C-alpha cells in the first residue's frame, strides 16, 4: 500500500486556468510533508515544507496547504513555465529520522 | 556554487559486473540519500545517511550497498547488478537539524543493466 497518493496523475491547464493538485497520505503521526518540482531529465527541486494541519506556504503562483490527511498545491493563473511534474513526500512521525516516502507525482502541462 | 554531483551520468553495464556510482556535495550537509526513479513508480528511497558512519535502509535496499566515510561523499555500490536495477538514480543532500528536508538533488545517473 502506498503511503502517499497523488492525484490526478496528469493535468492539462490552459494558461491562466487555476487548479489544485492533491496529495493524500496514510502515515500516522506526520512529521512533515514536502513538495518538490521536477523538470524532465532533472533532479527534483524543493518547493515547500508543511508541518501541521492548517499551515500554508506560498511561492509566486503556488500555494501549499495541509490538512490532517492531505495536502493541496494550488496553482493560480499558471504559465507554461509551470509545466513540470510535482512530487509530494512525507516523513512519518514514528519512523527513523530521514525516512521519506514519495508519491508518484502529478504531471502538469500548461498550454498557452 | 552549491551543488550535488553524481558520476557517471550515464552507464550501460552487464549483469554481475560490480559498479559504483559516486555522489558528492559541497554544502557541508549532514544528510544524504539515494533514490531510484522508475516510470509509474515515482521516487523510492534506497538508503540514507544522517551523518558520517550512520546509514539506514529505505524502501528498496536489496542489491545495493552504501558507505559514508566522509561527510561530503555517499557512494552507491551495486555488487552484482541485475536488469531489474536498470533505472534513473538520484542522490540528494540536506541539512538535518531543521527537519525541513530541503533536499538538493544531483542531476541523476541513468543506469542500464543488460
Amino acid at each position: 500500500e502506498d503511503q502517499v497518493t497523488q492525484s490526478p496523475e496528469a493535468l492539462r491547464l490552459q494558461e491562466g486556468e487555476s487548479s489544485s493538485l492533491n496529495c493524500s497520505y496514510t502515515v500516522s503521526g506526520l512529521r512533515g510533508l514536502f513538495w518538490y518540482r521536477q523538470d524532465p531529465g532533472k533532479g527534483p527541486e524543493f518547493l515547500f515544507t508543511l508541518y501541521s494541519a492548517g499551515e500554508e506556504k506560498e511561492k509566486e503562483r503556488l500555494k501549499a496547504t495541509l490538512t490532517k490527511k492531505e495536502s493541496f498545491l494550488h496553482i493560480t493563473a499558471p504559465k507554461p513555465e509551470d509545466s513540470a511534474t510535482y512530487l509530494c513526500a512525507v516523513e512519518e512521525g514514528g519512523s527513523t529520522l530521514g525516512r521519506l516516502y514519495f508519491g508518484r507525482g502529478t504531471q502538469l502541462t500548461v498550454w498557452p | 556554487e552549491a551543488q550535488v554531483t553524481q558520476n557517471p551520468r550515464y552507464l550501460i553495464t552487464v549483469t554481475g559486473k560490480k559498479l559504483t556510482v559516486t555522489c558528492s556535495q559541497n554544502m557541508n550537509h549532514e544528510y544524504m540519500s539515494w533514490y531510484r526513479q522508475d516510470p509509474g513508480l515515482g521516487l523510492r528511497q534506497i538508503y540514507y545517511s544522517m551523518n558520517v558512519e550512520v546509514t539506514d535502509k529505505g524502501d528498496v535496499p536489496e542489491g545495493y550497498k552504501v558507505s559514508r566515510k566522509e561527510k561530503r561523499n555517499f557512494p552507491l555500490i551495486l555488487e552484482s547488478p541485475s536488469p531489474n536495477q536498470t533505472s534513473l538514480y538520484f542522490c540528494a543532500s540536506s541539512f538535518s537539524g531543521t527537519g525541513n528536508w530541503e533536499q538538493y538533488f544531483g542531476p541523476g545517473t541513468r543506469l542500464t543493466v543488460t
Side-chain angles (χ1 to χ4, degrees), chain A residues 3 31-32 34 36 38 41-46 48-49 51 87 91 96-105, chain B residues 9 31 35 37 40-43 45 48 50 56-59 88 90 98-107:
Chain A
Q3 283 86 355
R31 187 176 283 146
F34 319 99
Y36 289 83
Q38 186 175 24
K42 295 192 173 181
E45 177 186 343
F46 174 81
F48 304 110
T49 302
Y51 295 105
L87 302 172
E91 186 186 14
T96 310
L97 274 176
R99 178 76 173 86
L100 300 177
Y101 300 92
F102 276 81
R104 302 183 186 200
Chain B
R9 294 288 315 279
Y31 177 87
Y35 299 90
Q37 188 170 40
L41 294 179
L43 272 172
Q45 196 173 37
Y48 60 101
M50 292 296 288
D56 279 294
K57 296 178 181 179
D59 276 329
L88 178 58
F90 288 104
T98 59
N100 73 1
W101 304 121
E102 182 175 344
Q103 293 187 82
Y104 291 78
F105 280 78

Side-chain angles (χ1 to χ4, degrees), chain A residues 101-112:
Chain A
Y101 300 92
F102 276 81
R104 302 183 186 200
T106 293
Q107 186 174 11
L108 174 66
T109 304
V110 182
W111 49 284

Side-chain angles (χ1 to χ4, degrees), chain A residues 96, chain B residues 32 47-58 65-69 73-75:
Chain A
T96 310
Chain B
M32 297 186 75
Y47 271 96
Y48 60 101
S49 169
M50 292 296 288
N51 215 323
V52 176
E53 302 292 359
V54 179
T55 62
D56 279 294
K57 296 178 181 179
K65 282 178 58 177
V66 293
S67 67
R68 188 91 183 273
K69 298 189 186 326
N73 297 322
F74 191 42

Side-chain angles (χ1 to χ4, degrees), chain B residues 2 4 11 20 41 44 58 62 75 78 88 95 97 99 101 108 110 114:
Chain B
V4 177
L11 179 61
T20 299
L41 294 179
R44 292 180 292 169
E62 297 79 17
L78 284 72
L88 178 58
F95 287 115
W101 304 121
R110 188 167 292 280
T114 62

Side-chain angles (χ1 to χ4, degrees), chain A:
Chain A
E1 180 191 355
D2 288 352
Q3 283 86 355
V4 180
T5 302
Q6 291 188 246
S7 62
E9 290 184 14
L11 181 62
R12 285 179 55 86
L13 299 173
Q14 188 170 16
E15 184 172 3
E17 180 187 1
S18 301
S19 187
S20 296
L21 282 53
N22 177 264
C23 171
S24 63
Y25 55 91
T26 58
V27 298
S28 56
L30 181 76
R31 187 176 283 146
L33 184 141
F34 319 99
W35 283 99
Y36 289 83
R37 168 195 170 122
Q38 186 175 24
D39 293 303
K42 295 192 173 181
E45 177 186 343
F46 174 81
L47 292 173
F48 304 110
T49 302
L50 301 166
Y51 295 105
S52 56
E55 190 173 358
E56 299 182 351
K57 295 271 180 76
E58 282 189 70
K59 181 179 180 178
E60 296 180 0
R61 295 175 293 282
L62 300 177
K63 181 169 133 178
T65 62
L66 181 64
T67 70
K68 287 199 172 177
K69 281 300 176 187
E70 58 189 358
S71 175
F72 293 93
L73 185 65
H74 307 277
I75 304 177
T76 302
K79 299 182 178 182
E81 52 262 42
D82 294 322
S83 297
T85 296
Y86 291 85
L87 302 172
C88 171
V90 301
E91 186 186 14
E92 185 176 21
S95 65
T96 310
L97 274 176
R99 178 76 173 86
L100 300 177
Y101 300 92
F102 276 81
R104 302 183 186 200
T106 293
Q107 186 174 11
L108 174 66
T109 304
V110 182
W111 49 284

